Amino acid sequence: MTKKELQMKSVFLRKNLLKYIYKAKAGHTGGSLSCVDTLNVLYNRVLNVEPSNFRDPSRDRYIQSKGHCVEALFVTLADRGFFPESDLETLCQYQSHYIGHPTKKVNGVEQNTGALGHGLSICVGEAIAAKLDHKTHRVFTLLGDGELPEGSNWEAFLSASHYKLDNLYAILDNNKQQITGYNKEVMNIDSIREKLESFGWAVKEIDGHNLEELEGALNNGPFETGKPNFIIAHTIKGKGVSYMEGVTKWHHGVPTPEQYELALSELTEAEALI
Amino acid sequence: MELDKIEEKDLKMGKANQEVFSITLQELAETNKDIIAVTSDSRGSGKLVPFGQKYPNQIVEVGIAEQNLVGVAAGLASAGKNVFAVSPACFLSARALEQIKNDVCYSDNPVTLVGISAGVSYGALGTTHHSLHDYAVLRAINNITILAPADNFETEQAVRLAAQHDKPIYMRFGKKTMPFLNENNKTFEFGKGRVIRDGDDIAIIASGETVYPAWLAAKKLEDDHDIKATVISMHTIKPLDLNLIENLAKNGRPIIIVEEHMVTGGLGEACASHLFQHGFKNPFQIIGIPDEYTVTGSQVEIFNHYGISKEGIYKTCKKMLNI
Ligand SMILES: Cc1ncc(C[n+]2csc(CCOP(=O)(O)OP(=O)(O)O)c2C)c(N)n1
Ligand SMILES: [Mg+2]
């Protein structure tokens, strides 16, 4: 896939996740739009994971700790052929496996997440097991910035550096917002870089909507031998739809028909500029 | 009872119980400056945004950190504050369980834990967001009152009483609009089930948002078969109203429990245990969520799937009455 095709893919995934949120009349719109570039790069440039090797113990692992942004994950997995996209027509319907959080009933999903503050600890376990078994695959997780105050994350930060898990990559979708508003007002997590460095992690800061920077960081680890990798991806909540960007209520807002059309036309315009 | 004459269409609809919780707390907070709401990025779902705007000094936000929420609430309570710790029931009663057990109950700090969007209110968000275990785990902890008010009246009373209570409380609310159930019965006391409807043929004991479908089923039994069913809102899961349960059982009628909870460890098993230990042999059935991977869907779809509905309860009652 060329650089241009990858950029087009991001627009396609944005349109698609909006489509299924719109149809299901439910979903985590803002946070899906902020992390979908990361997912695009992970599944199309970084992870050694595809439908054919999904049961292979040596595959790379991706566990989405901010499980509420499942729509970004589902459209990415569908696009990579883990299941037919038409399955998503049943999103959030009675007896559908495609619910509002990732579950293993969906092909391609590693763990059932949705309660925040679980993904990183599971990844620490996966990463320790990889080391014990002398395997070279990598383990990735995606954290929300509002999720960081969960104490379990800090327990996991300690164990990851204690066990020198340089095969572990934690990506922070740093969109600066959560349900109630800005992280700063809800629970300040400033100086993340310093905090993580003092916990023994190697930290990189990137523009989380710049696909090259994402690929550069995710494919060039470990940043320091013997240290777990932390990527602060600076992002914008609602990225790509002007009226959603940085607007708190779009955390789980569902567009009206007019808003939906407007979002699609904005994305089509963006596509034309690529 | 007069309520028996009320038709379904005449039921007065109120608000969601969790909204009434927030309105009542605001009223109390106006005069009682010791009232503090503690939230974990949960003020939106807890309907506490207006509370926070009106009383910025009476709300403590801890961010997404439910264990910290309960610990902080315990400290505030110990220092004399009148604390309501508000978070989705699923996280509050699972994530923060050790803080509830040790810092609230064991250390006897009078926190009111408010579990919002309880049971399967979050529907298609799935099992991470369901609280079908909260009665069970909290029943097994000493020194806590467990409440699941059925309607707006019970909710308001529960919140007002909680503000005066000096012991740990857990109360859970859903987000569905509820009708007023038996407006004639103006009594509300912790530990005393509320009679919503009276009848000798069968007794339906329900709690929280399941009382409404229980009432509808009772109505239909009367309309279709002239069966007279008692409906109880067992708003206090612990301590359980043992007198009432025994009185209901005395005439030998079938007893049905309806709950938005796993059958394991819930209200039904609590009733069964007491009745069995006291020699009662009534036909007995629990309608709740079975021990399986919970079906996916909205709250209504999950309820219908497991028979926690007017039709489902009606059918179970008929089966038990052999009609
Ligand atoms: C343990 C837990 N507590 C609370 C929630 C409810 N919740 C879902 S999303 C969310 C806000 C998340 O904010 P953030 O991590 O910044 O996500 P993003 O901005 O990327 O959407 C909250 C509080 C949850 N899912 N899990
Ligand atoms: Mg965020």
Side-chain angles (χ1 to χ4, degrees):
Chain A
M1 201 185 289
T2 65
K3 182 180 150 187
K4 185 173 169 177
E5 282 166 345
L6 194 70
Q7 285 175 324
M8 302 283 276
K9 186 70 82 189
S10 270
V11 179
F12 167 77
L13 294 172
R14 283 199 161 80
K15 282 186 174 175
N16 246 9
L17 74 87
L18 286 170
K19 175 170 140 187
Y20 291 107
I21 287 173
Y22 177 67
K23 282 198 170 172
K25 297 192 177 60
H28 286 87
T29 315
S32 284
L33 288 168
S34 69
C35 72
V36 73
D37 292 317
T38 300
L39 282 158
N40 182 17
V41 170
L42 276 170
Y43 278 91
N44 289 301
R45 283 282 199 264
V46 178
L47 297 174
N48 163 33
V49 176
E50 50 198 302
S52 60
N53 79 348
F54 188 60
R55 307 278 160 226
D56 180 348
S58 298
R59 71 190 182 282
D60 287 335
R61 305 290 198 278
Y62 170 67
I63 296 170
Q64 187 163 311
S65 194
K66 47 168 258 177
H68 58 284
C69 297
V70 69
E71 293 84 13
L73 177 63
F74 281 169
V75 294
T76 307
L77 291 175
D79 181 61
R80 287 290 274 110
F82 282 90
F83 52 84
E85 194 197 296
S86 58
D87 281 9
L88 293 176
E89 300 284 343
T90 68
L91 183 65
C92 290
Q93 288 177 10
Y94 178 52
Q95 290 187 326
S96 171
H97 290 321
Y98 301 86
I99 64 167
H101 289 101
T103 84
K104 291 178 175 183
K105 302 248 177 205
V106 172
N107 194 33
V109 173
E110 291 279 358
Q111 296 295 337
N112 296 10
T113 54
L116 295 165
H118 287 253
L120 186 61
S121 290
I122 303 175
C123 287
V124 167
E126 287 273 8
I128 291 173
K131 293 266 180 199
L132 289 173
D133 295 344
H134 306 290
K135 294 218 165 84
T136 55
H137 65 266
R138 298 160 299 170
V139 182
F140 295 85
T141 189
L142 181 69
L143 299 162
D145 44 15
E147 179 183 4
L148 277 193
E150 282 292 359
S152 52
N153 287 318
W154 301 87
E155 298 175 20
F157 288 144
L158 279 179
S159 33
S161 60
H162 181 82
Y163 287 104
K164 303 187 170 43
L165 301 178
D166 54 9
N167 53 349
L168 174 61
Y169 296 76
I171 307 157
L172 183 71
D173 183 12
N174 196 6
N175 58 25
K176 322 307 185 260
Q177 289 175 292
Q178 52 196 101
I179 297 185
T180 306
Y182 283 88
N183 307 147
K184 252 192 191 346
E185 291 153 10
V186 179
M187 185 49 58
N188 195 1
I189 51 158
D190 271 358
S191 317
I192 303 171
R193 172 186 272 273
E194 291 78 1
K195 286 183 171 76
L196 264 294
E197 281 174 350
S198 76
F199 270 65
W201 286 57
V203 182
K204 266 200 179 145
E205 279 184 70
I206 59 163
D207 171 354
H209 299 305
N210 183 318
L211 305 182
E212 281 176 6
E213 284 190 32
L214 276 163
E215 188 179 341
L218 296 172
N219 264 343
N220 289 302
F223 308 153
E224 276 182 56
T225 308
K227 284 190 175 184
N229 310 282
F230 197 82
I231 295 111
I232 302 173
H234 291 283
T235 57
I236 295 167
K237 207 157 171 170
K239 172 73 180 178
V241 180
S242 61
Y243 62 85
M244 291 182 185
E245 288 188 2
V247 179
T248 300
K249 70 166 186 187
W250 287 103
H251 173 80
H252 42 24
V254 176
T256 62
E258 297 74 36
Q259 288 170 329
Y260 177 60
E261 287 310 321
L262 181 59
L264 288 190
S265 70
E266 284 188 20
L267 288 167
T268 303
E269 275 173 40
E271 207 169 8
L273 296 175
I274 293 172
Chain B
M1 266 196 197
E2 252 184 76
L3 188 83
D4 299 350
K5 300 199 177 63
I6 293 176
E7 293 303 320
E8 186 178 343
K9 63 175 172 30
D10 298 328
L11 273 186
K12 197 173 108 201
M13 292 310 283
K15 300 179 168 62
N17 289 342
Q18 61 194 39
E19 201 172 333
V20 171
F21 150 71
S22 128
I23 293 166
T24 309
L25 196 66
Q26 262 189 76
E27 282 171 21
L28 292 169
E30 191 168 351
T31 49
N32 183 346
K33 291 296 155 196
D34 280 336
I35 285 188
I36 307 263
V38 192
T39 52
S40 54
D41 200 14
S42 50
R43 75 180 69 189
S45 6
K47 308 284 171 216
L48 288 171
V49 173
F51 182 104
Q53 284 161 348
K54 235 169 138 183
Y55 308 114
N57 294 328
Q58 288 175 262
I59 191 162
V60 174
E61 171 65 60
V62 299
I64 306 172
E66 294 78 10
Q67 301 180 58
N68 195 32
L69 170 100
V70 176
V72 168
L76 284 162
S78 171
K81 300 296 179 190
N82 200 325
V83 188
F84 289 75
V86 187
S87 192
C90 51
F91 310 127
L92 189 60
S93 63
R95 195 55 165 276
L97 186 59
E98 191 171 82
Q99 278 77 9
I100 294 177
K101 171 175 166 263
N102 295 344
D103 310 338
V104 175
C105 299
Y106 183 42
S107 292
D108 197 20
N109 287 308
V111 174
T112 299
L113 301 153
V114 181
I116 51 180
S117 306
V120 294
S121 298
Y122 278 128
L125 292 183
T127 294
T128 53
H129 283 57
H130 296 165
S131 54
L132 295 171
H133 60 278
D134 48 350
Y135 297 169
V137 295
L138 297 173
R139 275 184 62 217
I141 289 174
N142 170 244
N143 193 30
I144 188 162
T145 296
I146 308 172
L147 301 168
D151 66 358
N152 292 183
F153 166 74
E154 291 187 5
T155 299
E156 181 178 343
Q157 297 302 310
V159 175
R160 288 186 184 282
L161 285 181
Q164 295 163 14
H165 200 67
D166 61 355
K167 288 280 173 187
I169 293 174
Y170 171 80
M171 52 174 83
R172 57 131 94 167
F173 300 117
K175 34 186 211 169
K176 206 165 145 205
T177 305
M178 284 290 126
F180 286 90
L181 297 159
N182 196 356
E183 288 197 85
N184 298 326
N185 181 349
K186 293 283 182 221
T187 58
F188 184 89
E189 236 181 286
F190 291 168
K192 291 267 176 286
R194 227 170 125 248
V195 180
I196 302 297
R197 205 176 189 283
D198 212 0
D200 287 339
D201 299 328
I202 189 165
I204 312 173
I205 302 174
S207 71
E209 293 196 353
T210 64
V211 180
Y212 178 31
W215 182 85
L216 292 173
K219 186 91 194 141
K220 191 168 159 61
L221 281 170
E222 170 141 36
D223 291 349
D224 294 0
H225 300 283
D226 202 29
I227 296 288
K228 307 271 193 287
T230 287
V231 176
I232 301 294
S233 166
M234 197 60 87
H235 51 71
T236 308
I237 311 298
K238 194 176 100 155
L240 199 54
D241 191 345
L242 303 175
N243 275 337
L244 176 59
I245 293 170
E246 284 185 30
N247 284 336
L248 291 171
K250 267 180 193 149
N251 80 350
R253 68 189 129 190
I255 293 177
I256 296 188
I257 314 293
V258 192
E259 55 187 325
E260 188 177 2
H261 189 278
M262 287 266 284
V263 170
T264 313
L267 172 63
E269 288 193 356
C271 294
S273 158
H274 183 77
L275 289 173
F276 196 55
Q277 290 186 72
H278 289 78
F280 289 96
K281 299 199 166 56
N282 303 52
F284 187 90
Q285 186 81 47
I286 302 171
I287 307 177
I289 311 285
D291 184 8
E292 65 179 34
Y293 191 99
T294 309
V295 75
T296 59
S298 66
Q299 184 196 37
V300 173
E301 286 163 343
I302 297 171
F303 273 15
N304 287 338
H305 185 89
Y306 294 117
I308 308 170
S309 60
K310 173 180 167 180
E311 286 301 325
I313 300 167
Y314 172 78
K315 270 192 200 146
T316 303
C317 288
K318 278 183 39 165
K319 222 160 103 193
M320 292 189 75
L321 291 160
N322 299 313
I323 49 172

